[in-house]
């Protein structure tokens, strides 16, 4: 099962770049890597997805090394509103998107 | 609709009662998922549908839990003879893909907070 491992929590300050790394040693050849963001009292929200190398959108960047056994979500210049739980998921037909506990990011002023 | 809609937003019931939770997915979305989320934890998969067919129900905790999506759109998650341990946030998600693609993107509703007294 292509489960993931990510830090339980991280602290940062406004304006800093935040990098959250996720390990997925058993990723399968066809699996994509997807990150979701969840604010309190809301459902998870898709933020970025990639297969290899680097993906960038208006919210974040996703860096995936050649062996694809890990990935790093990069949030540029975070603000207080980026305080949330971030989940790293690897597409797995048998696992049906195991969310785990995610990484709780706390952005301080 | 514009997003995934779940109702009711809150449901308080007494132990032993049956409850039905409703999910209205994004219009045209093929796949529909049910998750349960405990406080401080990530969503836990319960079951999912492609159109009206229930493809996987391996996450349903026991036979008191059931789900249906008879016309391939709105889905209902039913919990019979509720117990206090069933108290949780129940979330629905939908996807435009058929649930077998590993690059699937899920769109979640706001959930139904179930409290069993």
């Amino acid at each position: 099962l292509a489960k993931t491992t990510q830090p339980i929590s991280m602290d940062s300050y406004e304006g800093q770049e935040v990098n959250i790394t996720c390990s997925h040693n058993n990723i399968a050849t066809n699996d994509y890597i997807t990150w979701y963001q969840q604010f309190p009292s809301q459902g998870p929200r898709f933020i970025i997805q990639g297969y290899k190398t680097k993906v960038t959108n208006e919210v974040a960047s996703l860096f995936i090394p050649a062996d694809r056994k890990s990935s790093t979500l990069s949030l540029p210049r975070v603000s207080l509103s980026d305080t949330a739980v971030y989940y790293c998921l690897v597409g797995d037909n048998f696992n049906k998107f195991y969310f785990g506990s995610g990484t709780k990011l706390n952005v301080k002023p | 609709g514009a997003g995934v809609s779940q109702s009711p937003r809150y449901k308080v019931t007494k132990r032993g009662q049956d409850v039905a939770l409703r999910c209205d997915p994004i219009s045209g979305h093929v796949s529909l998922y049910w998750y349960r989320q405990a406080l401080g934890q990530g969503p836990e998969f319960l079951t999912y549908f492609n159109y009206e067919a229930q493809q996987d129900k391996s996450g349903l905790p026991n036979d008191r839990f059931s789900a249906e999506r008879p016309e391939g759109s709105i889905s209902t998650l039913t919990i019979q003879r509720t117990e206090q341990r069933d108290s949780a946030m129940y979330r629905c998600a939908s996807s435009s893909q058929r649930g077998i693609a590993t690059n699937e993107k899920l769109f979640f509703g706001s959930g139904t907070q179930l409290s069993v007294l």
Side-chain angles (χ1 to χ4, degrees), chain A residues 30 36 38 42 49 93 96 100, chain B residues 37 42 99-100 102-103 106:
Chain A
N30 295 331
Y36 290 83
Q38 186 174 25
Q42 295 185 24
Q49 183 180 77
N93 294 336
K96 297 322 299 179
Chain B
Q37 187 169 19
I100 59 174
T102 65
N103 62 341
L106 303 179

Side-chain angles (χ1 to χ4, degrees), chain B:
Chain B
V4 178
S5 178
Q6 292 187 245
S7 60
R9 182 70 179 89
Y10 301 94
K11 178 67 177 178
V12 181
T13 190
K14 293 183 178 180
R15 186 177 55 186
Q17 297 294 306
D18 298 349
V19 296
L21 311 181
R22 172 185 165 123
C23 173
D24 193 350
I26 293 173
S27 179
H29 272 197
V30 170
S31 298
L32 184 147
Y33 293 76
W34 283 100
Y35 288 84
R36 179 170 67 174
Q37 187 169 19
L39 195 62
Q41 301 295 317
E44 173 192 12
F45 169 76
L46 296 178
T47 184
Y48 92 98
F49 295 82
N50 278 341
Y51 300 101
E52 73 283 357
Q54 190 171 22
Q55 298 294 327
D56 186 338
K57 55 181 181 179
S58 62
L60 296 177
N62 50 61
D63 60 8
R64 295 186 296 106
F65 288 72
S66 63
E68 63 175 9
R69 193 187 185 197
E71 297 179 0
S73 180
I74 294 170
S75 177
T76 303
L77 177 69
T78 301
I79 309 173
Q80 296 178 313
R81 305 181 301 283
T82 53
E83 301 177 4
Q84 286 184 331
R85 60 177 173 162
D86 299 333
S87 296
M89 175 70 78
Y90 288 83
R91 298 197 185 275
C92 174
S94 69
S95 166
S96 60
Q97 293 159 294
R98 287 185 58 207
I100 59 174
T102 65
N103 62 341
E104 197 160 2
K105 300 171 187 175
L106 303 179
F107 294 84
F108 281 82
S110 296
T112 294
Q113 181 66 53
L114 175 65
S115 297
V116 182
L117 305 178

